[in-house]
Amino acid sequence: MSTPVKVTVTGAAGQIGYALLFRIASGQMLGPDTPLELSLLEIPAAVEAAEGTALELDDCAFPLLRKIDIFDEATPAFDSCNVALLVGARPRGPGMERSDLLEANGGIFKPQGEAIAAGAADDVRVLVVGNPANTNCLIALSNADGVPRGRFTAMMRLDHNRSVGQLANKLGKQVSSVSNMTVWGNHSTTQYPDLVNAKVDGSSAWEAIDDEAWISDEFIPRVAKRGAEVIGARGASSAASAANAAIDHVRDWTRGTSEGDWVSMGVPSDGSYGIEEGIVAGHPCVCSGGDWRIVEGLEVPEFSRSRIDASISELKEEREAVSQLGLI
Ligand code: NAD
Ligand code: LMR
């Protein structure tokens, strides 16, 4: 067995934290041969609840889990960490958009970016889950001097998994028959789940559906508004599915994507697909050797172009708003 990987999870006492920690500790994220240490970060008022979760983690006797530390300050929580899951942030309630959280949550990610730069391990990899995730990721990376920008990613995987599920249901197929899904842009209602390039049983998903009206009027809005649908039904924002997506994201990033397939990740653009360089947006990514790269050369017809552009415009507005707040 190798040296333990140090995983820092913020918002450890929250809903997603509770659904996430046991799966990380059981090895579902980093693999069955990777021992790990957990570093939990919470606000002071929630430290006791995080301690309760730590008691339960102990009671699971997970063979891979070597140590649990709990902090209410970012600097020690991120010290020497290899993987950081930035979950801790306020969720939206009914009637809110995720961007309404910018002012409340944006301020969390500047000091966390600074703390990662100050003390995380050289190989640190960061996933931002707290909303609005793409712009919070931009804030964190903008304040992490010396850490390569590509080590910061935002979660589009829940949108990706939702798209796979909706498409498979519509066609009466198993989810495993769907591949090459991309959700472009922002984790918001402007996101664009792309059936032009997605495949079902290795062939075009667009042609399998053969119904543009369903794609534009039902599939895309259903996926894009799924978070609000869950909030409406549950009275609270998605938690287990979000935790599952975080596990999928980090697992594929660190252990590699399947041959011939790709996944949706919020990553800093390199300017490809006409997306302004540096914007943290959903892209199709292949992962190998612990690195991600944007898949090049996908088809972007006008149907896709206008939707991707609208989502990128929204991300630019969010960037302007956090710039006005002095966060980047
Ligand atoms: P929650 O309210 O249940 O838990 C959030 C936790 O974060 C709380 O325990 C709180 O004390 C803690 N916290 C707040 N500020 C903190 C800080 N500065 N440092 C450390 N911890 C802090 O919320 P939740 O349901 O777990 O959701 C967490 C976030 O994830 C929300 O912003 C939500 O909107 C977002 N989310 C994103 C996605 C996605 O796909 N990107 C999906 C679901 C939820
Ligand atoms: C989701 O997509 O379920 C989360 O981002 C929570 C939300 O606010 O919709």
Side-chain angles (χ1 to χ4, degrees):
M1 283 232 175
S2 43
T3 316
V5 171
K6 183 164 174 182
V7 180
T8 300
V9 179
T10 76
Q15 288 205 85
I16 296 175
Y18 195 72
L20 182 61
L21 289 167
F22 298 86
R23 294 188 61 187
I24 296 173
S26 72
Q28 291 179 48
M29 185 172 83
L30 299 172
D33 300 320
T34 307
L36 59 107
E37 297 178 359
L38 282 172
S39 170
L40 311 183
L41 177 63
E42 258 298 348
I43 56 171
V47 161
E48 195 177 350
E51 285 167 356
T53 302
L55 295 179
E56 287 199 75
L57 284 161
D58 279 344
D59 294 348
C60 293
F62 288 121
L64 295 170
L65 181 57
R66 299 296 156 83
K67 192 167 171 238
I68 309 171
D69 291 309
I70 302 173
F71 300 95
D72 61 7
E73 281 178 35
T75 305
F78 290 109
D79 186 45
S80 307
C81 95
N82 308 102
V83 176
L85 301 176
L86 309 191
V87 179
R90 200 180 132 193
R92 67 174 165 156
M96 291 172 76
E97 289 300 328
R98 297 180 187 94
S99 54
D100 295 336
L101 296 168
L102 257 189
E103 206 162 335
N105 287 343
I108 294 173
F109 294 86
K110 184 171 194 269
Q112 292 185 355
E114 289 165 350
I116 288 167
D122 287 346
D123 68 350
V124 68
R125 286 172 172 72
V126 183
L127 169 62
V128 177
V129 175
N131 277 321
N134 303 52
T135 298
N136 288 337
C137 181
L138 180 69
I139 295 169
L141 73 82
S142 302
N143 288 282
D145 286 349
V147 182
R149 293 166 82 79
R151 298 291 184 74
F152 285 83
T153 63
M155 194 160 92
M156 299 296 293
R157 188 57 177 265
L158 180 53
D159 310 295
H160 176 109
N161 289 346
R162 286 168 172 164
S163 304
V164 169
Q166 292 295 326
L167 177 61
N169 283 351
K170 171 73 175 171
L171 294 171
K173 298 275 187 183
Q174 299 295 321
V175 288
S176 55
S177 69
V178 177
S179 64
N180 306 90
M181 182 64 74
T182 311
V183 182
W184 301 85
N186 198 3
H187 174 62
S188 76
T189 50
T190 67
Q191 68 183 256
Y192 171 53
D194 175 1
L195 295 194
V196 174
N197 291 291
K199 293 185 178 149
V200 177
D201 292 330
S203 301
S204 164
W206 186 281
E207 283 170 23
I209 292 288
D210 195 25
D211 183 350
E212 185 173 321
W214 179 81
I215 294 170
S216 66
D217 303 340
E218 294 188 46
F219 172 73
I220 294 173
R222 185 92 195 262
V223 171
K225 294 180 186 164
R226 187 65 156 187
E229 186 180 349
V230 171
I231 290 170
R234 234 170 72 80
S237 86
S238 62
S241 56
N244 177 67
I247 297 275
D248 285 352
H249 177 113
V250 176
R251 182 200 61 218
D252 289 349
W253 187 4
T254 55
R255 296 162 69 198
T257 43
S258 306
E259 183 68 34
D261 203 359
W262 61 72
V263 293
S264 308
M265 295 172 72
V267 297
S269 175
D270 60 3
S272 47
Y273 296 106
I275 298 173
E276 187 178 306
E277 194 175 343
I279 294 271
V280 178
H283 285 82
C285 290
V286 163
C287 302
S288 162
D291 293 323
W292 56 261
R293 72 173 167 79
I294 295 170
V295 177
E296 301 296 344
L298 298 189
E299 206 187 325
V300 183
E302 180 47 35
F303 183 91
S304 306
R305 183 77 268 159
S306 55
R307 287 168 171 83
I308 294 171
D309 288 349
S311 201
I312 299 306
S313 289
E314 182 185 44
L315 282 167
K316 288 184 189 167
E317 283 165 23
E318 290 185 13
R319 180 181 63 181
E320 179 56 28
V322 295
S323 169
Q324 297 289 333
L325 291 168
L327 296 173
I328 59 172

